[in-house]
Amino acid sequence: MSEHGRESELNVYEDREAVRKRPNLMCGTNDLDGLTNAAFEIINNSIDEAMVGRCNLIDVLVRSDGSIRVIDNGCGVPMRNYNTKAGKYDWEIVFCTLYGSGKANGKLYSKSSGLNGVGATVCNYTSEYMKVMSVTDGVMSSISFKEGIPQGELVVKETDMPNGTMIDFKPDIEVFKGTDTIMIPAMKFVENFENQAMLTKGLRLRLSHPELNGGVEDNYTEFYFPNGADDYFKQVCDTMMLKETKEYTSEKVGADRIGDEEYK
C-alpha cells in the first residue's frame, strides 16, 4: 500500500525539462536578465578561447527577432570524440549535459571565466533553436537543436575553412516568461564588450545590433584595445588625463570553493 493510501504526487524532471520549467535556478531570473545571462554564456566561451591565446576575433550578430549568432576564430568546440568515461560524445557533453566542462583540469584552458560547465547546455535548453558549426584542423562538425533536443545526427565533413565556431540561437520566449521581449538591448552588449576588450589584450569584439547597425547586418561596431586598459583609459579620458597611465598585472590561482579544482 502506498504511503497515506494514495499515489505519490512528487514530480521528477529531467535536466532539460527542469531548466526550461525553472530557468531562474540556472539563469538567476526568468526575465530579460536571466535570458541575457544565458546568451552571454555562449559569448563567454569564445572569450575563454581568447584568454588562452587561441582566438582574437569574435563577431556577435543580434537580429531584429532577438536571435543571436556568435562566430569566433578559436580552435573549435570539441564535438566528434567519444568520452568513454561519460558514455557520451563531446557534443553531448558540451550542449546537453549540465556540469560537463573541459575547463576544470587545466589541460584545455589554463584560464577561464568559470568552471561549472552549465553555460552552453543551459543556453541550448532555454533556446527555441540552436545551430552549431565547429571547424578544427580541416574538419567541420555541425548539429542543430530544437528546445534543447538534437535534430538528427552530428554531421562531419572535410573543409578548407579556418578553425572556429559558429553558434546561432534564439532565446525561447516560452521559457523566459517574465519578459515580453527576447531582444537584449544593445547597451548590455556594449558595456560588456568594452570591459572584455579592455581586459583581453588584442581581442577584437564586433557587434551588429538593430539599435546600432541602421538595419544593415554587416555593419559592425568594433571594440578593440590592443594595449588593454592603457588604450581604454586614453580613449575614455582623452585630453582630461593628467598623467600617463601605468599598468600593473597579476595572475592568481583559485577555486570556486574549498576542495574544488583550482584555475587561473
Side-chain angles (χ1 to χ4, degrees), residues 182-217:
I182 61 170
M183 171 67 75
I184 302 174
M187 285 309 299
K188 291 278 189 180
F189 292 95
V190 170
E191 292 169 1
N192 180 276
F193 286 12
E194 282 188 340
N195 291 335
Q196 294 291 356
M198 174 186 69
L199 294 171
T200 312
K201 287 183 179 181
L203 171 62
R204 293 180 187 271
L205 277 157
R206 304 199 310 167
L207 171 66
S208 177
H209 192 288
E211 296 173 11
L212 302 174
N213 63 20
V216 181
E217 289 190 353

Side-chain angles (χ1 to χ4, degrees), residues 141-233:
S141 304
S142 59
I143 194 167
S144 62
F145 305 87
K146 181 178 180 181
E147 298 179 356
I149 300 174
Q151 303 297 293
E153 301 292 329
L154 181 73
V155 177
V156 179
K157 60 182 181 180
E158 294 184 354
T159 180
D160 57 1
M161 293 176 62
N163 287 357
T165 301
M166 184 280 294
I167 299 180
D168 197 324
F169 63 98
K170 184 179 181 181
D172 196 340
I173 193 70
E174 295 300 319
V175 172
F176 296 100
K177 296 181 181 295
T179 180
D180 58 1
T181 178
I182 61 170
M183 171 67 75
I184 302 174
M187 285 309 299
K188 291 278 189 180
F189 292 95
V190 170
E191 292 169 1
N192 180 276
F193 286 12
E194 282 188 340
N195 291 335
Q196 294 291 356
M198 174 186 69
L199 294 171
T200 312
K201 287 183 179 181
L203 171 62
R204 293 180 187 271
L205 277 157
R206 304 199 310 167
L207 171 66
S208 177
H209 192 288
E211 296 173 11
L212 302 174
N213 63 20
V216 181
E217 289 190 353
D218 288 337
N219 184 14
Y220 284 87
T221 300
E222 184 173 273
F223 303 85
Y224 176 56
F225 304 105
N227 297 306
D230 187 31
D231 286 345
Y232 173 78
F233 286 115

Side-chain angles (χ1 to χ4, degrees), residues 103-170:
K103 301 173 184 177
N105 59 17
K107 294 180 180 179
L108 295 179
Y109 293 85
S110 59
K111 305 175 184 178
S112 76
S113 54
L115 296 181
N116 55 19
V118 302
T121 294
V122 167
C123 185
N124 182 28
Y125 284 172
T126 58
S127 293
E128 182 179 325
Y129 69 80
M130 177 178 282
K131 301 174 184 178
V132 182
M133 184 187 74
S134 173
V135 177
T136 302
D137 299 334
V139 179
M140 177 193 297
S141 304
S142 59
I143 194 167
S144 62
F145 305 87
K146 181 178 180 181
E147 298 179 356
I149 300 174
Q151 303 297 293
E153 301 292 329
L154 181 73
V155 177
V156 179
K157 60 182 181 180
E158 294 184 354
T159 180
D160 57 1
M161 293 176 62
N163 287 357
T165 301
M166 184 280 294
I167 299 180
D168 197 324
F169 63 98
K170 184 179 181 181

Side-chain angles (χ1 to χ4, degrees), residues 38-79:
F40 271 67
E41 290 288 348
I42 298 299
I43 300 170
N44 288 342
N45 284 342
S46 294
I47 291 172
D48 284 346
E49 285 282 283
M51 289 175 64
V52 295
R54 294 196 292 255
C55 166
N56 60 15
L57 177 63
I58 302 171
D59 282 353
V60 178
L61 166 66
V62 182
R63 304 184 183 92
S64 58
D65 65 353
S67 62
I68 301 170
R69 186 188 69 196
V70 181
I71 300 176
D72 69 48
N73 65 348
C75 67
V77 177
M79 302 274 275

